Amino acid sequence: MRGRTRGPSPFPTQASRVWRTLGAVFVVLVFLPPLVLLVSGSLRLPGLPPQPTPELIPDPVSTEGYRRAVELGGLGQATLNSVVVSAVAVPLSVLVASLAGFALARLPRRVTAPVVATSLLALIVPATALLVPRFAIFRSLGLTDTLTPLIAPALLATSPLYVLVYYLAFRTLPADLYDACRIEDLTPMQTWWRVALPLVRPVTAAVAALTFVLTWSNFLDPLVYLYDRELFTLPLALRSLATLDPTNFPVFLAGAVLATIPALVVFGLAQRRFFGYDDHMERLRR
């Protein structure tokens, strides 16, 4: 069978690999110093006057800020709430985005063009413009002061961007692969689950990581919909620590470190998929 492909070539050149490596180095150089200062500040002893200049190694080194952050901010319950929201929203977003992207990739171009254009326009709309109508809907349904409004966006894949990413990924798969699936009498759902989705695992890892970070760090939606402190997510709990006096600022920084660790872990687990994407697509082409 002929090796036809649809859409732009997904196979990067040597120059693109170099630029990607330089971009990764740039990101590390930009974000690593703030992380170091964040950890360093969280290890200062609470109650001391703020230093005029940042200390790389505080004197004395103390973990008291972490203990107080958990006690004063209620980070335990807040972390549990954030885990519940992320555990439901992330898989649901990946599921909906992959299904929608696969459906778009299998439709004729005259049908997908207006859908893609509409999705791009939806990305331009600021999230704050949707707060009032969304709040009115959830309030009329009696769902405010619950975790449901934080999970509901996952029913729409959280962001149109994720649908477009899957759409482009499925389009780059050889068209003969889909023809072979039809010859084998696979249904569209079987083709999506057994053939197409396993071949775009790096995309799934990227979408899952981005969705997790977006959900985990979401501050605006919990601020609007949640009133009961027992339902606060981690960003809202950190907000209460931010009101402490300057001498207890290490307590807030300790809470920020605890909130940042899960996001770093998720990106660390997903980065192997990111950097293995080129080899994966090269093997697929052969």
Side-chain angles (χ1 to χ4, degrees), residues 64 133 155 158:
E64 179 67 15
L155 297 173
T158 301

Side-chain angles (χ1 to χ4, degrees), residues 4 128 158 182 226 265:
R4 294 179 287 121
T128 53
T158 301
R182 285 194 293 267
L226 300 181
V265 171

Side-chain angles (χ1 to χ4, degrees), residues 38 69-70 72-75 78-79 82 216-217 219 229 232-244 249 251-260:
L38 176 65
V70 174
L72 299 177
L75 297 188
T79 301
S82 292
W216 186 263
S217 61
F219 172 75
R229 189 175 181 83
F232 279 9
T233 56
L234 204 50
L236 280 185
L238 288 178
R239 178 173 174 264
S240 63
L241 293 178
T243 61
L244 296 175
F249 202 64
V251 178
F252 170 71
L253 295 181
V257 170
L258 295 176
T260 304

Side-chain angles (χ1 to χ4, degrees), residues 151-286:
I151 300 174
L155 297 173
L156 300 176
T158 301
S159 171
L161 174 64
Y162 304 149
V163 177
L164 295 177
V165 169
Y166 268 113
Y167 163 67
L168 294 175
F170 288 131
R171 278 194 63 206
T172 58
L173 297 180
D176 289 338
L177 185 65
Y178 295 117
D179 295 338
C181 292
R182 285 194 293 267
I183 292 174
E184 294 295 327
D185 291 330
L186 294 181
T187 65
M189 288 296 293
Q190 289 174 327
T191 302
W192 163 75
W193 178 253
R194 295 169 55 182
V195 179
L197 194 60
L199 292 176
V200 295
R201 287 175 181 169
V203 174
T204 299
V207 171
L210 293 174
T211 306
F212 175 82
V213 172
L214 181 64
T215 304
W216 186 263
S217 61
N218 187 5
F219 172 75
L220 187 58
D221 286 344
L223 182 64
V224 172
Y225 297 116
L226 300 181
Y227 319 124
D228 185 356
R229 189 175 181 83
E230 293 298 317
L231 295 176
F232 279 9
T233 56
L234 204 50
L236 280 185
L238 288 178
R239 178 173 174 264
S240 63
L241 293 178
T243 61
L244 296 175
D245 60 273
T247 61
N248 285 315
F249 202 64
V251 178
F252 170 71
L253 295 181
V257 170
L258 295 176
T260 304
I261 289 175
L264 294 178
V265 171
V266 168
F267 270 109
L269 295 175
Q271 61 88 21
R272 291 183 299 175
R273 293 291 184 182
F274 297 160
F275 292 107
Y277 184 64
D278 296 347
D279 296 335
H280 172 81
M281 294 305 295
E282 290 287 0
R283 289 195 299 268
L284 176 61
R285 190 179 191 182
R286 297 191 186 102

